[in-house]
Amino acid sequence: MNKDTNPGFKLKESAGNPIITTIFTADPSAHVWEDGRIYIYPSHDLEPARGCDYMDRYHVYSSEDMVHWRDEGEILSSQAYSNDVPWGRKDGGFMWAPDCAYKNGTYYYYFPHPSGDSWGTTWEIGVATSNHPAKDFKVGDPGFVTWEGVGIAGEFMIDPAVLVDDDGRAYMYFGGGSRDDRCKGGQLNDDMITMKEQPRIMRGLEDFHEATWVFKRNGLYYLVYSDNHHLPRKNGDGMENRNQMRYATSENPLGPWQYRGVIIEEVGCGTSHGSVVEYKGQWYLFYHNQDISDRGNLRSVCVDCLYFNDDGTIQIVKQTKEGVKPVGPPPARSADMKKYPAKDAVLGGGAVINGNVAEGLEKEGSFLRFDNVDGGKDGSRNTLRISFSSAERVGKLRLKVNDIDYSLINLMPAEVSEFSDDCFITVKMNPGTDNTVTLTGGVNDVKVEYITVTPL
C-alpha cells in the first residue's frame, strides 16, 4: 500500500476485505449507474448493537476502480432527529437490507421498516426517491409500496430487491422466514411504487431463508438468496446459523426457477446477504462478514470476483483477504481539503498533546475537539478523515459533528507504528466555519495526529 503525498488520502493496490471499515455495514446491494460509477447500498449496523434492532442511518458508497471507495454520506434515517420516515415506528431502528433502482431519470430507494411497535406484522417496504444516486432522497406519500391502494405489510416484508428489465418493466422481490414459500415477487407499475399484481411465490427454490437478489445475464435470470445452513457452535453447545448463498435460474423474471446450487459458502457469521453485478467487464459478488468485530450483528461489506462456467452456471466464489484488483485509475485528489492538527484542538478528560499527537484517549471522559471547522459553501456532505495510530487491532472513538452523534467509529491501523488515514466517513456540516468536530475516547488506546475535511 503506497501512501500518497497529500495528507488525508491513501492509494491502495487492492481493495482488501472488508472494503468498508470505519462503520459497520451489511447486506450490500451494488449497482452501476449512467455516470459510470459503481454504487453500494448497504444496511448499517450501529454500535453498540442489540440484535438487529439498531440497524439505521443508511450510507451509500461509490467507486470508479473497485478499490478506492467513497462514502457518499448518510441518505436516510428513522431517527427522531431526521424525520425522514414519517410513517415509521416512533422509536426508529429496524432499518434492514435496502436496494435501489433507476428508471426514467429517478432513483428509487427501497427499504424495509416496521410502521409500529408490533414489528412482526407491521413491516412495509418504504420508498424514497431522488434525482441523484446518493443524495437528496425523500419519502413521499404514502411512502411505501402498495397493491390495490393499501400497503402489503406483514411479517416477511423484508429484503426488497428490484430488477428493471431490458424492456423497462420492473419487478420487486422480497421475503424471509426460513421457508421456500416465503420468497415472493411481482411486477411493479411504471410509478415504481405500486404493484401491478399481487406478489406471487417464487417456485423452485430450495431451502430459502431471506436476502433475495435478481440479475440478468445473456437472457437468463438469476435469483440469489440466503439459505438455512447450520453448523455446530464453537463451544459445542448445539447448532447455529451459518447461512450460505444459493441461486436458481429461469427464462422468466418471475419463474418458475430451477435450483442450481451454492454461490458462496458460509461467511463466518450467522447471516449471508449479497449482490451480483458486472463492472467494466468483470463480475463481482458483494457480501458481508464479521471479520472486524467477530460479532454477527456488527458486520462489514466485502467483495470478490465471480466467474461463470460455459453453461451459465456460477462457480463458488472464493473469499479472500486481498479483495479485488483495481479496474481503473485511482480517484483524483481534491484541492479543497482542509487539515486540522490535533495540537490546535481543545483537549480534555486526560487527553494531552505529545509533540503533534493527541494521546491519552484511552481514558474515560477524554476528548479532542476541533472548533471552527470549515464545511465549505454547501456543508451538506464533507468527507472527514482521521490520521491515527493505535496499538489495538481495532481502535475506537466516538464521533460527534455539531449536534449529530455518529456513534463509535473503527480505526484499523495497517501497522501499529505508523499513522494511517484510512478512517473516513462523510458527515453533514453547516456552511462556513460554524462547525465543531468532537472525538471522544475511553474505549481503547488511540492516538490522533490530525483530521482533514473535504467537501464532496
Tab-separated table of all heavy atoms in Angstrom, residues 131-166:
chain	number	residue	atom	x	y	z
A	131	ASN	N	-33.331	12.557	-7.633
A	131	ASN	CA	-32.761	12.716	-8.971
A	131	ASN	C	-31.275	12.389	-8.997
A	131	ASN	O	-30.628	12.503	-10.039
A	131	ASN	CB	-32.983	14.142	-9.477
A	131	ASN	CG	-34.445	14.458	-9.695
A	131	ASN	OD1	-35.228	13.593	-10.097
A	131	ASN	ND2	-34.841	15.692	-9.433
A	132	HIS	N	-30.731	12.016	-7.846
A	132	HIS	CA	-29.312	11.691	-7.713
A	132	HIS	C	-29.164	10.305	-7.099
A	132	HIS	O	-29.994	9.875	-6.306
A	132	HIS	CB	-28.601	12.725	-6.827
A	132	HIS	CG	-28.764	14.135	-7.287
A	132	HIS	ND1	-27.994	14.692	-8.268
A	132	HIS	CD2	-29.632	15.104	-6.892
A	132	HIS	CE1	-28.365	15.943	-8.470
A	132	HIS	NE2	-29.347	16.217	-7.647
A	133	PRO	N	-28.079	9.609	-7.413
A	133	PRO	CA	-27.935	8.239	-6.902
A	133	PRO	C	-27.545	8.144	-5.436
A	133	PRO	O	-27.677	7.079	-4.834
A	133	PRO	CB	-26.835	7.647	-7.790
A	133	PRO	CG	-26.034	8.829	-8.229
A	133	PRO	CD	-27.024	9.949	-8.379
A	134	ALA	N	-27.066	9.247	-4.836
A	134	ALA	CA	-26.519	9.124	-3.481
A	134	ALA	C	-26.802	10.330	-2.588
A	134	ALA	O	-26.085	10.552	-1.617
A	134	ALA	CB	-25.015	8.876	-3.563
A	135	LYS	N	-27.831	11.093	-2.904
A	135	LYS	CA	-28.190	12.207	-2.030
A	135	LYS	C	-29.615	12.664	-2.359
A	135	LYS	O	-30.198	12.269	-3.369
A	135	LYS	CB	-27.219	13.380	-2.197
A	135	LYS	CG	-27.232	14.028	-3.578
A	135	LYS	CD	-26.283	15.224	-3.634
A	135	LYS	CE	-26.343	15.915	-4.998
A	135	LYS	NZ	-25.466	17.118	-5.046
A	136	ASP	N	-30.154	13.470	-1.442
A	136	ASP	CA	-31.446	14.143	-1.634
A	136	ASP	C	-32.625	13.176	-1.749
A	136	ASP	O	-33.623	13.481	-2.408
A	136	ASP	CB	-31.414	15.059	-2.868
A	136	ASP	CG	-30.350	16.134	-2.782
A	136	ASP	OD1	-29.956	16.472	-1.657
A	136	ASP	OD2	-29.908	16.613	-3.842
A	137	PHE	N	-32.557	12.016	-1.095
A	137	PHE	CA	-33.689	11.090	-1.124
A	137	PHE	C	-34.779	11.565	-0.164
A	137	PHE	O	-34.501	11.956	0.968
A	137	PHE	CB	-33.235	9.679	-0.746
A	137	PHE	CG	-32.568	8.943	-1.869
A	137	PHE	CD1	-31.192	8.997	-2.036
A	137	PHE	CD2	-33.321	8.209	-2.776
A	137	PHE	CE1	-30.576	8.328	-3.073
A	137	PHE	CE2	-32.720	7.529	-3.827
A	137	PHE	CZ	-31.342	7.588	-3.970
A	138	LYS	N	-36.026	11.523	-0.639
A	138	LYS	CA	-37.167	11.942	0.154
A	138	LYS	C	-38.256	10.870	0.102
A	138	LYS	O	-38.518	10.279	-0.950
A	138	LYS	CB	-37.744	13.259	-0.372
A	138	LYS	CG	-36.749	14.427	-0.380
A	138	LYS	CD	-36.307	14.822	1.019
A	138	LYS	CE	-35.357	16.026	0.972
A	138	LYS	NZ	-34.838	16.361	2.319
A	139	VAL	N	-38.894	10.645	1.242
A	139	VAL	CA	-40.022	9.718	1.329
A	139	VAL	C	-41.298	10.503	1.081
A	139	VAL	O	-41.571	11.484	1.768
A	139	VAL	CB	-40.071	9.040	2.711
A	139	VAL	CG1	-41.319	8.171	2.844
A	139	VAL	CG2	-38.815	8.204	2.929
A	140	GLY	N	-42.065	10.072	0.079
A	140	GLY	CA	-43.291	10.792	-0.278
A	140	GLY	C	-44.505	10.241	0.445
A	140	GLY	O	-44.420	9.709	1.540
A	141	ASP	N	-45.651	10.372	-0.190
A	141	ASP	CA	-46.926	9.931	0.373
A	141	ASP	C	-47.523	8.864	-0.557
A	141	ASP	O	-47.716	9.137	-1.741
A	141	ASP	CB	-47.878	11.113	0.505
A	141	ASP	CG	-49.194	10.742	1.172
A	141	ASP	OD1	-49.239	9.683	1.821
A	141	ASP	OD2	-50.160	11.525	1.033
A	142	PRO	N	-47.806	7.640	-0.117
A	142	PRO	CA	-47.731	7.189	1.280
A	142	PRO	C	-46.332	6.809	1.746
A	142	PRO	O	-46.118	6.582	2.934
A	142	PRO	CB	-48.645	5.972	1.294
A	142	PRO	CG	-48.481	5.385	-0.074
A	142	PRO	CD	-48.349	6.573	-0.995
A	143	GLY	N	-45.386	6.692	0.811
A	143	GLY	CA	-44.015	6.423	1.215
A	143	GLY	C	-43.658	4.961	1.344
A	143	GLY	O	-42.581	4.632	1.841
A	144	PHE	N	-44.536	4.072	0.888
A	144	PHE	CA	-44.216	2.646	0.896
A	144	PHE	C	-44.956	1.970	-0.251
A	144	PHE	O	-45.906	2.519	-0.824
A	144	PHE	CB	-44.564	1.988	2.235
A	144	PHE	CG	-45.942	2.290	2.746
A	144	PHE	CD1	-47.060	1.608	2.283
A	144	PHE	CD2	-46.124	3.274	3.709
A	144	PHE	CE1	-48.329	1.888	2.757
A	144	PHE	CE2	-47.394	3.569	4.193
A	144	PHE	CZ	-48.496	2.872	3.719
A	145	VAL	N	-44.500	0.770	-0.607
A	145	VAL	CA	-45.062	0.033	-1.733
A	145	VAL	C	-46.484	-0.412	-1.406
A	145	VAL	O	-46.765	-0.886	-0.295
A	145	VAL	CB	-44.190	-1.193	-2.071
A	145	VAL	CG1	-44.826	-2.028	-3.177
A	145	VAL	CG2	-42.787	-0.748	-2.492
A	146	THR	N	-47.391	-0.258	-2.372
A	146	THR	CA	-48.789	-0.649	-2.170
A	146	THR	C	-49.253	-1.547	-3.321
A	146	THR	O	-48.684	-1.539	-4.419
A	146	THR	CB	-49.717	0.571	-2.093
A	146	THR	OG1	-49.669	1.284	-3.346
A	146	THR	CG2	-49.310	1.502	-0.965
A	147	TRP	N	-50.313	-2.295	-3.033
A	147	TRP	CA	-51.028	-3.070	-4.045
A	147	TRP	C	-52.513	-2.847	-3.819
A	147	TRP	O	-53.017	-2.991	-2.706
A	147	TRP	CB	-50.707	-4.556	-3.946
A	147	TRP	CG	-51.479	-5.392	-4.912
A	147	TRP	CD1	-51.418	-5.333	-6.279
A	147	TRP	CD2	-52.457	-6.396	-4.603
A	147	TRP	NE1	-52.275	-6.235	-6.847
A	147	TRP	CE2	-52.935	-6.906	-5.839
A	147	TRP	CE3	-52.974	-6.916	-3.428
A	147	TRP	CZ2	-53.898	-7.901	-5.919
A	147	TRP	CZ3	-53.937	-7.914	-3.503
A	147	TRP	CH2	-54.394	-8.391	-4.734
A	148	GLU	N	-53.203	-2.428	-4.871
A	148	GLU	CA	-54.623	-2.089	-4.817
A	148	GLU	C	-54.919	-1.074	-3.718
A	148	GLU	O	-55.888	-1.173	-2.971
A	148	GLU	CB	-55.468	-3.350	-4.641
A	148	GLU	CG	-55.432	-4.275	-5.852
A	148	GLU	CD	-56.437	-5.411	-5.767
A	148	GLU	OE1	-56.939	-5.682	-4.653
A	148	GLU	OE2	-56.728	-6.006	-6.819
A	149	GLY	N	-54.027	-0.087	-3.605
A	149	GLY	CA	-54.273	1.050	-2.733
A	149	GLY	C	-53.866	0.888	-1.290
A	149	GLY	O	-53.963	1.844	-0.510
A	150	VAL	N	-53.431	-0.282	-0.875
A	150	VAL	CA	-53.024	-0.470	0.521
A	150	VAL	C	-51.635	-1.085	0.562
A	150	VAL	O	-51.170	-1.696	-0.400
A	150	VAL	CB	-54.014	-1.380	1.289
A	150	VAL	CG1	-55.394	-0.734	1.349
A	150	VAL	CG2	-54.096	-2.752	0.633
A	151	GLY	N	-50.967	-0.909	1.703
A	151	GLY	CA	-49.651	-1.498	1.874
A	151	GLY	C	-49.738	-3.017	1.910
A	151	GLY	O	-50.808	-3.595	2.119
A	152	ILE	N	-48.605	-3.644	1.703
A	152	ILE	CA	-48.571	-5.106	1.736
A	152	ILE	C	-47.789	-5.534	2.971
A	152	ILE	O	-46.871	-6.344	2.920
A	152	ILE	CB	-47.971	-5.687	0.446
A	152	ILE	CG1	-46.737	-4.901	-0.034
A	152	ILE	CG2	-48.996	-5.687	-0.659
A	152	ILE	CD1	-46.125	-5.449	-1.307
A	153	ALA	N	-48.170	-4.944	4.118
A	153	ALA	CA	-47.460	-5.154	5.366
A	153	ALA	C	-47.558	-6.609	5.812
A	153	ALA	O	-48.537	-7.290	5.546
A	153	ALA	CB	-48.034	-4.248	6.457
A	154	GLY	N	-46.531	-7.042	6.528
A	154	GLY	CA	-46.550	-8.391	7.047
A	154	GLY	C	-45.237	-8.778	7.667
A	154	GLY	O	-44.245	-8.038	7.606
A	155	GLU	N	-45.218	-9.949	8.226
A	155	GLU	CA	-44.057	-10.417	8.973
A	155	GLU	C	-42.837	-10.614	8.084
A	155	GLU	O	-41.704	-10.501	8.540
A	155	GLU	CB	-44.419	-11.727	9.666
A	155	GLU	CG	-43.325	-12.273	10.564
A	155	GLU	CD	-43.763	-13.520	11.290
A	155	GLU	OE1	-44.926	-13.946	11.099
A	155	GLU	OE2	-42.942	-14.076	12.037
A	156	PHE	N	-43.037	-10.913	6.836
A	156	PHE	CA	-41.913	-11.287	5.975
A	156	PHE	C	-41.628	-10.246	4.897
A	156	PHE	O	-41.013	-10.556	3.884
A	156	PHE	CB	-42.197	-12.648	5.359
A	156	PHE	CG	-42.598	-13.670	6.385
A	156	PHE	CD1	-43.893	-14.153	6.445
A	156	PHE	CD2	-41.682	-14.104	7.316
A	156	PHE	CE1	-44.260	-15.074	7.404
A	156	PHE	CE2	-42.034	-15.032	8.286
A	156	PHE	CZ	-43.339	-15.516	8.338
A	157	MET	N	-42.065	-9.004	5.126
A	157	MET	CA	-41.825	-7.932	4.158
A	157	MET	C	-40.438	-7.336	4.379
A	157	MET	O	-40.285	-6.186	4.815
A	157	MET	CB	-42.894	-6.864	4.292
A	157	MET	CG	-44.266	-7.307	3.841
A	157	MET	SD	-44.313	-7.639	2.073
A	157	MET	CE	-43.912	-6.032	1.432
A	158	ILE	N	-39.404	-8.122	4.097
A	158	ILE	CA	-38.036	-7.668	4.294
A	158	ILE	C	-37.224	-7.942	3.031
A	158	ILE	O	-37.660	-8.635	2.123
A	158	ILE	CB	-37.371	-8.349	5.507
A	158	ILE	CG1	-37.247	-9.859	5.289
A	158	ILE	CG2	-38.147	-8.049	6.784
A	158	ILE	CD1	-36.410	-10.573	6.342
A	159	ASP	N	-36.017	-7.357	3.001
A	159	ASP	CA	-35.033	-7.624	1.948
A	159	ASP	C	-35.572	-7.386	0.538
A	159	ASP	O	-35.528	-8.271	-0.329
A	159	ASP	CB	-34.515	-9.053	2.063
A	159	ASP	CG	-33.810	-9.318	3.385
A	159	ASP	OD1	-33.632	-8.364	4.155
A	159	ASP	OD2	-33.445	-10.475	3.646
A	160	PRO	N	-36.067	-6.182	0.236
A	160	PRO	CA	-36.539	-5.928	-1.121
A	160	PRO	C	-35.388	-5.919	-2.127
A	160	PRO	O	-34.275	-5.477	-1.824
A	160	PRO	CB	-37.166	-4.529	-1.005
A	160	PRO	CG	-36.411	-3.883	0.110
A	160	PRO	CD	-36.138	-4.992	1.097
A	161	ALA	N	-35.660	-6.413	-3.314
A	161	ALA	CA	-34.733	-6.341	-4.443
A	161	ALA	C	-35.538	-6.014	-5.683
A	161	ALA	O	-36.632	-6.566	-5.880
A	161	ALA	CB	-33.996	-7.664	-4.625
A	162	VAL	N	-35.038	-5.114	-6.504
A	162	VAL	CA	-35.783	-4.661	-7.685
A	162	VAL	C	-34.923	-4.831	-8.929
A	162	VAL	O	-33.763	-4.409	-8.966
A	162	VAL	CB	-36.227	-3.198	-7.535
A	162	VAL	CG1	-36.877	-2.705	-8.823
A	162	VAL	CG2	-37.207	-3.066	-6.367
A	163	LEU	N	-35.502	-5.462	-9.935
A	163	LEU	CA	-34.872	-5.626	-11.243
A	163	LEU	C	-35.632	-4.810	-12.267
A	163	LEU	O	-36.849	-4.985	-12.423
A	163	LEU	CB	-34.869	-7.099	-11.655
A	163	LEU	CG	-34.469	-7.384	-13.107
A	163	LEU	CD1	-32.970	-7.165	-13.296
A	163	LEU	CD2	-34.862	-8.800	-13.519
A	164	VAL	N	-34.954	-3.909	-12.959
A	164	VAL	CA	-35.527	-3.222	-14.111
A	164	VAL	C	-35.011	-3.937	-15.349
A	164	VAL	O	-33.818	-3.903	-15.654
A	164	VAL	CB	-35.147	-1.733	-14.136
A	164	VAL	CG1	-35.753	-1.053	-15.368
A	164	VAL	CG2	-35.626	-1.031	-12.865
A	165	ASP	N	-35.912	-4.604	-16.063
A	165	ASP	CA	-35.525	-5.453	-17.178
A	165	ASP	C	-35.174	-4.618	-18.410
A	165	ASP	O	-35.397	-3.403	-18.465
A	165	ASP	CB	-36.658	-6.430	-17.489
A	165	ASP	CG	-36.166	-7.748	-18.080
A	165	ASP	OD1	-35.002	-7.794	-18.519
A	165	ASP	OD2	-36.950	-8.710	-18.109
A	166	ASP	N	-34.662	-5.308	-19.434
A	166	ASP	CA	-34.236	-4.620	-20.654
A	166	ASP	C	-35.384	-3.890	-21.340
A	166	ASP	O	-35.166	-2.888	-22.031
A	166	ASP	CB	-33.621	-5.630	-21.630
A	166	ASP	CG	-32.432	-6.365	-21.036
A	166	ASP	OD1	-31.778	-5.803	-20.127
A	166	ASP	OD2	-32.163	-7.506	-21.460
